[in-house]
Amino acid sequence: MEKNIMAAPLDTSLFNLSGRTALITGSVRGIGQALADGLAAAGARIVVNGRREAAVAAAVDRLSAQGCAALGSVFDVSDEASVIQAFEALDAQGIEVDILINNAGVQFRKPMVELAVEDWRRVVDTNLTGAFIVARQAARRMIARGRGGKIINIGSLTSEAARATVAPYTAAKGGIKLLTRAMAAEWAQFDIQANAIGPGYILTEMNTALIENPEFDAWVKSSNPAGRWGRPDELAGTAVYLASAASNYVNGQIIYVDGGWLSVL
């Protein structure tokens, strides 16, 4: 006779990030800033990253003024030497990154037949190769410490579907989905969970030209079941989940936060 097994109540402490340190690349504005706010609210200490010292310092001051623990790390994700130096500086301060969010990214719109190789490389180097460079440094340290960690890569709707004029971005974000799976394949044995978030059309500075284009704005709202653009803060809950113990058996996945856009034709 089968036993009547009662489900245990949800342990909300699973989502508590107190005592954890999260490095979020490209976190001085936009989606990165919203993710920093979300993880900080869950208790994490935030390492803010950007390429400009003044912008990073301002972002750290903003978080600190809200009572959050934060510090800055200035580096370019596409510059391997810069990334190595930044991690060595964190090592020297005794700061151990438990959570990495690879968020830094750039966009460039031009038809492929007019696209210069240097522009292709700039987008791919930042959005895809940069995620590999930073994650490799973080994972080496997570493995050496022996207590696992969390890596969250920021993908896109273009991890799944293409649009004209953004070929390098599409290639890079498609690569993010498979890079995430490669990380899971190699690092799961070390209790490192690598997952990705695929934002839909989000109200960010990067999308300003699209937001201000009446035709494109109308298309986003009419083609999305939610009938609107997403907000950066609407990605924070998924990030907290993937950064927390609640997702300890989730690995190699990409979660689309898109209002249902990929679910319809």
Side-chain angles (χ1 to χ4, degrees):
M1 186 175 184
E2 292 186 3
K3 293 181 179 179
N4 184 15
I5 300 174
M6 298 293 291
L10 177 65
D11 181 2
T12 55
S13 69
L14 287 172
F15 301 92
N16 190 331
L17 301 180
S18 297
R20 311 291 297 282
T21 296
L23 167 60
I24 305 172
T25 66
S27 46
V28 298
R29 63 180 181 274
I31 288 174
Q33 178 178 295
L35 298 180
D37 288 348
L39 267 65
R45 173 173 60 174
I46 305 300
V47 181
V48 176
N49 161 258
R51 292 181 299 168
R52 296 176 177 82
E53 189 169 349
V56 170
V60 170
D61 289 345
R62 186 185 64 84
L63 284 169
S64 298
Q66 296 171 4
C68 304
L71 64 148
S73 183
V74 180
F75 62 87
D76 180 344
V77 299
S78 66
D79 182 339
E80 183 180 12
S82 174
V83 173
I84 291 172
Q85 184 178 22
F87 272 89
E88 289 176 346
L90 292 173
D91 293 341
Q93 298 172 70
I95 296 165
E96 299 177 344
V97 174
D98 307 292
I99 302 158
L100 167 65
I101 301 184
N102 279 313
N103 167 74
V106 295
Q107 178 62 286
F108 185 77
R109 296 180 175 89
K110 183 166 281 192
M112 274 194 284
V113 294
E114 301 172 11
L115 186 66
V117 171
E118 56 265 31
D119 290 320
W120 169 279
R121 286 178 176 152
R122 179 173 59 87
V123 174
V124 173
D125 284 353
T126 301
N127 295 333
L128 179 59
T129 307
F132 158 70
I133 291 171
V134 180
R136 183 182 58 179
Q137 291 301 315
R140 284 174 175 171
R141 289 159 172 80
M142 292 173 182
I143 292 168
R145 290 196 296 268
R147 60 172 188 268
K150 302 283 187 174
I151 297 174
I152 303 168
N153 299 315
I154 301 302
S156 164
L157 291 178
T158 59
S159 296
E160 197 69 34
R163 276 192 62 82
T165 75
V166 290
Y169 188 84
T170 300
K173 293 301 186 177
I176 281 290
K177 181 170 75 171
L178 273 296
L179 176 63
T180 300
R181 293 180 180 176
M183 290 175 179
E186 293 199 20
W187 299 338
Q189 62 182 308
F190 302 110
D191 196 24
I192 296 171
Q193 291 83 52
N195 292 288
I197 299 173
Y201 288 101
I202 306 294
L203 294 166
T204 64
E205 187 176 308
M206 182 183 290
N207 286 328
T208 297
L210 303 180
I211 295 164
E212 294 179 349
N213 181 320
E215 183 179 353
F216 194 91
D217 177 62
W219 176 80
V220 167
K221 292 172 179 175
S222 64
S223 63
N224 191 322
R228 63 178 178 84
W229 293 73
R231 303 188 310 272
D233 64 282
E234 291 179 304
L235 300 166
T238 303
V240 169
Y241 164 65
L242 292 176
S244 74
S247 62
N248 280 354
Y249 202 56
V250 179
N251 217 341
Q253 305 302 309
I254 181 166
I255 299 175
Y256 292 99
V257 183
D258 65 354
W261 194 87
L262 281 173
S263 300
V264 299
L265 294 174

